Amino acid sequence: MSTPAEGKRRRRFPSLMRALRLPENDPLAMIGVAIYVVFLLVALFADVLASDPLEILFLDDGNLAANVPPSLAFPLGTTNLGRDIYSQLIVGTRAAFVVGLTAAIAVVAVGTLVGLLAGYFGGWVDNVLMRLADIALGIPFLPFVIVLAAFLGAQTQNVVLAITVLLWPNTARVIRSQVLTLRERGFVEAARVAGSSDWRIIRVHIAPNILPLSLLYGSIAIGWAILTEASISFLGFGPSGSVSWGAMLQDAYASQALSRGSYNWFVPPGLCIVLVVVAGFFISRGYEEVLFPKLKD
Amino acid sequence: MRSVAIRFGQMLLVLWAVATLLFFLFRLMPGDPTLAYIDTTFTAEQQEALKRQFGLDRSLFEQYIAYFSNVFHGEFGTSFRSKRPVFDIIFEVLPNTLALTALSITIAYVFGVLVGAWLAWKRGSVAEALGIPLVLTLRAAPEFWLGMVLLAVFAFGLGWFPSGGANSAGMTYGSTLERMTSADFLHHLILPAATLALYLQGLPLLLMRSNMLDVLQEDYVMMARMKGLPEWRILLLHAARNALLPVVTAFALGLGASVGGNVVVETVFSWPGLGRVLVDAVAGSDYPLAQGAFMFIALILIVMNFVADLLYSVLDPRVAHG
């Protein structure tokens, strides 16, 4: 049942609605959506699916359940300190989504706003904003995140802040060039002649047309954010005491899981990262050139 | 010529901004600002000398001026841990980072360009249907995790390669060049370089493929077809040459970004390079060393961004006027 208000909204954002439709004719994109849905469900029901990931477990004979190979009781075995790897993997899904979604939303919000302003107003606004983008692109990504996490404290919000500060220019540049072409289109010209204000033109005529592009960038940014968080945790600058895939890999690396050949410990978290990140790539695959904004702006 | 000057000016602006950011970033850390350069284990004379050199007993503004004049003279202070000049430490590890980056990015781009062109030619085939998802999957894999898997299989499992470092312990060499051309060094280089190459190959491959697909639609390719030229000639002499242009730019960008991005790979393989020096220095609160390493990584990145910008306009003159 659709109310008149909904109907009106649907007409106002036709391109957005088109972008949000399931990409049924693209099998890879459907796989991507399916991966997202599965991981989202796992993150939501992590409490039901897993037990306490940091609990130290003991075997029936009273010994520490350290480095137990996969079995019915421990589907992926245990760590060297007797913690259940499967539970860590499940609970780690949450950290991935928290960082991935918040960073993606922040990156895309900042990038879209800057791109809109720079592209629409041009002139000195454009100049200042694009020089800021140059500066952000001149900051080495991981080193900056490391230093910021080390100095401001290794909380999740600082990692998200660092990712946002450095990743918005890619989105901004693409949105800007899109706005530049939209600005010259007939319907924008018509609105201007009819006396619409700048803000109204941006809000009603331009923003809805670039939102699909923003969403697309969001799905890629989720992946970059998760990769970055994992790298930071692996290097030992992540939030301490939290359960994430990156922290699991760091734990495994530092505990000689590689030399012991404990593939059950370090392969699953890496595969989960690959799956979530590649899902974003699959969804955006139709827009391949969008993956390389620096080269096409 | 004028646009080159403007771009150069923009590069200087970015350099100045990043150096300024670094100055304030290293005054964000908890505690006394003199901590950025002075460790309590330094001798009294050393402390005095550093205070004077970096203006630490003066105002923030004077410190800022002193900071820039020192950066210009390559003075980054003294490492807390090793008590040696930061500049010397960085120059010692820089060749290792450059060797790792240059080798892996070259392999990645040669492979990526060839396979990308081939996949474009094979459009619609099974090879494409399987190849593209595979490439995307490799690109989605965290570098350090790829490195961990390679380490577990080839170093610990099969024992084919050493598990870390750039040279075996106890080896001595007459010069850096001798060290870096030794079989021992190359043996240590293979796994980290393979890891980086696996990670880096996706971008040139996808880029080359999509450029080839674009170029193959162009009139001059159609013209070559109408002239009856053999398909391989059209591909190599007409299409690939032009499709390569953006890849060359990507190479320059990738080279700059990779030096900073090596951080994780260098850590996994205990590779004594710039990235690992940075990580160790930040973790060990060795602020002068961390600052110097960061500045070098940023410098390489910014200069390569500039080079990429220039290359792009030189190779594709339409950009310069656009």
Side-chain angles (χ1 to χ4, degrees), chain A residues 158-194:
Chain A
N158 289 334
V159 176
V160 171
L161 173 77
I163 293 172
T164 313
V165 167
L166 294 192
L167 278 190
W168 64 267
N170 296 329
T171 313
R173 284 183 167 190
V174 176
I175 297 291
R176 171 180 170 273
S177 59
Q178 189 71 16
V179 173
L180 282 179
T181 60
L182 278 172
R183 200 175 60 171
E184 308 304 324
R185 295 273 288 278
F187 61 89
V188 174
E189 194 58 39
R192 201 174 291 134
V193 172

Side-chain angles (χ1 to χ4, degrees), chain B residues 195-217:
Chain B
T195 305
L196 258 182
L198 271 177
Y199 177 75
L200 292 171
Q201 49 79 37
L203 190 125
L205 195 156
L206 294 172
L207 194 56
M208 186 65 190
R209 177 179 159 275
S210 75
N211 292 337
M212 279 296 271
L213 292 177
D214 285 349
V215 167
L216 287 174
Q217 311 288 324

Side-chain angles (χ1 to χ4, degrees), chain B:
Chain B
M1 219 36 237
R2 201 174 144 262
S3 75
V4 172
I6 290 175
R7 276 162 214 265
F8 188 74
Q10 287 173 352
M11 181 192 75
L12 291 182
L13 176 78
V14 172
L15 269 177
W16 165 79
V18 173
T20 303
L21 178 86
L22 200 58
F23 175 83
F24 287 107
L25 203 59
F26 276 77
R27 274 151 189 79
L28 265 184
M29 73 212 166
D32 186 351
T34 58
L35 279 175
Y37 292 103
I38 293 178
D39 193 52
T40 45
T41 61
F42 286 167
T43 63
E45 297 96 80
Q46 270 178 322
Q47 295 199 15
E48 255 331 292
L50 285 167
K51 248 186 203 159
R52 230 173 307 114
Q53 185 184 358
F54 291 96
L56 297 178
D57 44 2
R58 283 174 277 153
S59 70
L60 195 65
F61 180 71
E62 284 170 295
Q63 286 183 39
Y64 182 68
I65 302 292
Y67 166 80
F68 269 96
S69 108
N70 281 313
V71 165
F72 266 114
H73 294 99
E75 291 286 350
F76 294 97
T78 307
S79 161
F80 288 173
R81 197 142 16 133
S82 64
K83 313 282 186 271
R84 293 169 53 214
V86 166
F87 196 80
D88 295 359
I89 297 175
I90 288 173
F91 259 71
E92 218 169 78
V93 298
L94 197 58
N96 292 332
T97 288
L98 293 180
L100 173 61
T101 309
L103 179 68
S104 50
I105 203 169
T106 307
I107 295 171
Y109 274 68
V110 170
F111 174 85
V113 163
L114 294 176
V115 176
W118 181 70
L119 281 179
W121 185 47
K122 288 272 179 188
R123 182 133 177 89
S125 69
V126 181
E128 191 200 28
L130 295 176
I132 299 293
L134 182 69
V135 171
L136 288 173
T137 306
L138 271 177
R139 218 172 132 53
E143 289 164 274
F144 65 88
W145 179 69
L146 282 179
M148 283 169 72
V149 173
L150 291 186
L151 259 182
V153 175
F154 294 104
F156 293 115
L158 297 168
W160 290 354
F161 298 102
S163 62
N167 288 99
S168 301
M171 302 281 261
T172 48
Y173 299 95
S175 68
T176 305
L177 188 70
E178 195 187 312
R179 178 176 71 79
M180 291 182 58
T181 48
S182 67
D184 182 53
F185 180 81
L186 293 176
H187 195 210
H188 280 80
L189 182 59
I190 291 174
L191 275 189
T195 305
L196 258 182
L198 271 177
Y199 177 75
L200 292 171
Q201 49 79 37
L203 190 125
L205 195 156
L206 294 172
L207 194 56
M208 186 65 190
R209 177 179 159 275
S210 75
N211 292 337
M212 279 296 271
L213 292 177
D214 285 349
V215 167
L216 287 174
Q217 311 288 324
E218 297 274 354
D219 291 344
Y220 60 83
V221 171
M222 177 80 80
M223 186 69 199
R225 283 227 167 86
M226 279 157 59
K227 282 198 290 193
L229 293 178
E231 191 71 13
W232 66 266
R233 263 195 83 137
I234 299 173
L235 272 178
L236 284 181
L237 297 181
H238 294 264
R241 266 179 53 177
N242 289 302
L244 257 178
L245 301 184
V247 183
V248 174
T249 318
F251 182 83
L253 285 174
L255 196 61
S258 183
V259 173
N262 283 353
V263 172
V264 280
V265 171
E266 289 184 356
T267 304
V268 173
F269 290 97
S270 317
W271 185 259
L274 206 48
R276 185 153 169 269
V277 162
L278 176 79
V279 170
D280 286 350
V282 173
S285 303
D286 193 341
Y287 298 124
L289 188 56
Q291 215 172 140
F294 192 107
M295 193 68 217
F296 260 84
I297 293 172
L299 181 73
I300 295 170
L301 173 69
I302 293 167
V303 170
M304 290 318 290
N305 281 356
F306 170 66
V307 170
D309 232 17
L310 280 192
L311 275 177
Y312 197 30
S313 53
V314 168
L315 295 175
D316 191 347
R318 283 171 301 181
V319 176
H321 305 294

